[in-house]
Amino acid sequence: MFEGGKLIWKNGEYLNWEDATTHVLTHTLHYGVGVFEGIRCYETDEGPAVFRLKEHVKRLFESAKIFMMKIPFSEEEIFDAILDTVKKNELKSCYIRPIVYYGYKSLGLSVNDEFPVDIVIAAWSWGAYLGEEGIKNGIRVKTSSFNRFHVNTIATRAKACGNYITSVLAKREALMSGYDEALFLDPDGYVAEGSGENVFIIKDGVVYTPPVTSILKGITRDSIITIARDLGYEVIERRFTRDEMYIADEAFFTGTAAEVTPIRELDGRPIGIGKRGEITEKIQSTFFDIVKGKNKKYSDWLAFVK
Ligand code: PMP
């Protein structure tokens, strides 16, 4: 699972992989108040390049701000530490996981600025999250019996540890039902997102994605909106229902781990032709060219590991 990871950055120092442990009474382990990122680094002709690193670091600091967690490093320091962690681990392409968490002090619910805030960066090789086959031919998705959060139940703008307990439930439910991934509806019953992905549909040549309410404001989502518009497609952020998705021409998930994964079926209904659609393929291949450094127009999105 953690292929290729050797050293883990913790609070400014490198630890051997097996020594990067924490106490069982670590606050975040009990209550889930921690924030993290999922970032990918791709192999390019000019060496490893981290995709949209600036935006990921910014979101990490924004997530921490929401929970009033003070990260004892600047955004620039974390940006550099992430690039250095990839370099130290001699990884060409990898998944990177920074996490900020409350450390070991006490277990009351009251935390304050004196509480220890630890920050860790790990990196390892991780292939296609929903499988190479899924990337090519699409995956089968089931609407979850669990809802995405009401915006005032949990901080939906934060990529926070505790937010993921419902994602784990939904993912397990989908897999147990023989599907590949879950689709969450929002508290009003509209399509929201996957357990770890944003969602898009295409109908009559127009691309639709749910607005940023209950969902995570995905960095891949943002990239895909830009790419689709640059390819000449109209992209509309608006709510849609699950039955609108049943009769869409194409659909796909986006995410750092999932990249651009077509959805070929929802709740037993084939979407469009029941495999990767034409527009999805165009958007997907543009995305992969960009992350692999083959499309210079978007080179600003890459941070090279030197
Ligand atoms: N929604 C959820 C719930 C996620 O966990 C993720 C993955 N971070 C996404 C959407 C996609 O976000 P991004 O493109 O920034 O990885």
Side-chain angles (χ1 to χ4, degrees):
M1 169 70 206
F2 294 116
E3 204 188 310
K6 291 184 293 217
L7 295 172
I8 289 182
W9 185 99
K10 183 179 182 191
N11 299 333
E13 285 170 23
Y14 284 99
L15 303 173
N16 287 325
W17 192 270
E18 48 289 348
D19 299 330
T21 56
T22 189
H23 198 277
V24 290
L25 296 180
T26 295
H27 197 275
T28 300
L29 182 62
H30 295 253
Y31 306 121
V33 182
V35 297
F36 67 99
E37 272 304 315
I39 309 173
R40 267 195 196 267
C41 172
Y42 290 89
E43 190 172 359
T44 77
D45 288 345
E46 292 151 71
V50 180
F51 185 61
R52 303 205 69 179
L53 180 54
K54 211 165 160 220
E55 289 81 359
H56 280 286
V57 172
K58 185 161 182 267
R59 188 171 65 183
L60 182 71
F61 276 73
E62 286 178 353
S63 298
K65 180 179 181 180
I66 290 169
F67 285 96
M68 301 165 90
M69 298 177 92
K70 291 215 162 66
I71 300 179
F73 294 90
S74 68
E75 285 188 41
E76 293 69 32
E77 284 169 327
I78 297 305
F79 183 100
D80 291 344
I82 289 171
L83 290 177
D84 195 57
T85 303
V86 176
K87 189 173 175 177
K88 282 265 187 328
N89 282 285
E90 299 171 313
L91 290 158
K92 289 196 175 83
S93 68
C94 60
Y95 183 82
I96 307 158
R97 168 55 56 87
I99 179 166
V100 178
Y101 61 96
Y102 283 128
Y104 172 83
K105 187 174 182 196
S106 70
L107 271 188
L109 288 181
S110 57
V111 286
N112 54 31
D113 288 349
E114 274 75 64
F115 221 89
V117 173
D118 288 328
I119 173 160
V120 161
I121 304 164
W124 65 93
S125 300
W126 201 359
Y129 177 61
L130 294 166
E132 280 302 335
E133 165 68 20
I135 295 267
K136 250 195 229 127
N137 294 319
I139 57 163
R140 297 175 58 247
V141 175
K142 185 171 182 343
T143 303
S144 182
S145 67
F146 299 98
N147 273 357
R148 194 84 295 211
F149 315 106
H150 183 278
V151 290
N152 211 23
T153 301
I154 231 166
T156 57
R157 279 295 66 69
K159 191 167 167 61
C161 300
N163 291 15
Y164 281 82
I165 57 174
T166 329
S167 286
V168 171
L169 284 173
K171 179 84 185 181
R172 188 155 191 179
E173 179 188 60
L175 293 181
M176 279 179 0
S177 311
Y179 288 82
D180 304 309
E181 185 54 286
L183 178 75
F184 280 119
L185 305 180
D186 71 18
D188 294 324
Y190 292 88
V191 170
E193 61 179 348
S195 68
E197 307 87 7
N198 291 119
V199 68
F200 288 74
I201 59 168
I202 301 167
K203 183 77 174 176
D204 298 328
V206 179
V207 181
Y208 299 91
T209 194
V212 179
T213 52
S214 284
I215 63 169
L216 185 74
K217 192 171 186 287
I219 291 164
T220 321
R221 175 187 180 278
D222 178 76
S223 311
I224 293 304
I225 291 173
T226 303
I227 291 168
R229 286 187 178 143
D230 288 355
L231 287 171
Y233 297 106
E234 187 182 359
V235 181
I236 300 176
E237 293 178 66
R238 74 149 167 86
R239 284 172 142 188
F240 53 85
T241 54
R242 68 199 276 189
D243 55 357
E244 194 169 348
M245 190 153 165
Y246 293 157
I247 56 170
D249 299 327
E250 303 182 27
F252 59 88
F253 276 137
T254 66
T256 297
E259 300 167 305
V260 179
T261 301
I263 299 171
R264 67 179 159 94
E265 184 189 313
L266 176 62
D267 301 336
R269 282 91 166 164
I271 296 187
I273 52 171
K275 51 185 188 177
R276 176 171 62 184
E278 214 177 284
I279 299 175
T280 303
E281 189 171 353
K282 243 188 240 169
I283 293 172
Q284 191 191 44
S285 68
T286 308
F287 172 81
F288 281 120
D289 277 354
I290 293 169
V291 298
K292 290 174 184 161
K294 293 184 183 139
N295 187 333
K296 299 295 170 217
K297 185 173 164 198
Y298 302 88
S299 52
D300 280 4
W301 284 354
L302 303 181
F304 289 92
V305 177
K306 299 277 183 215

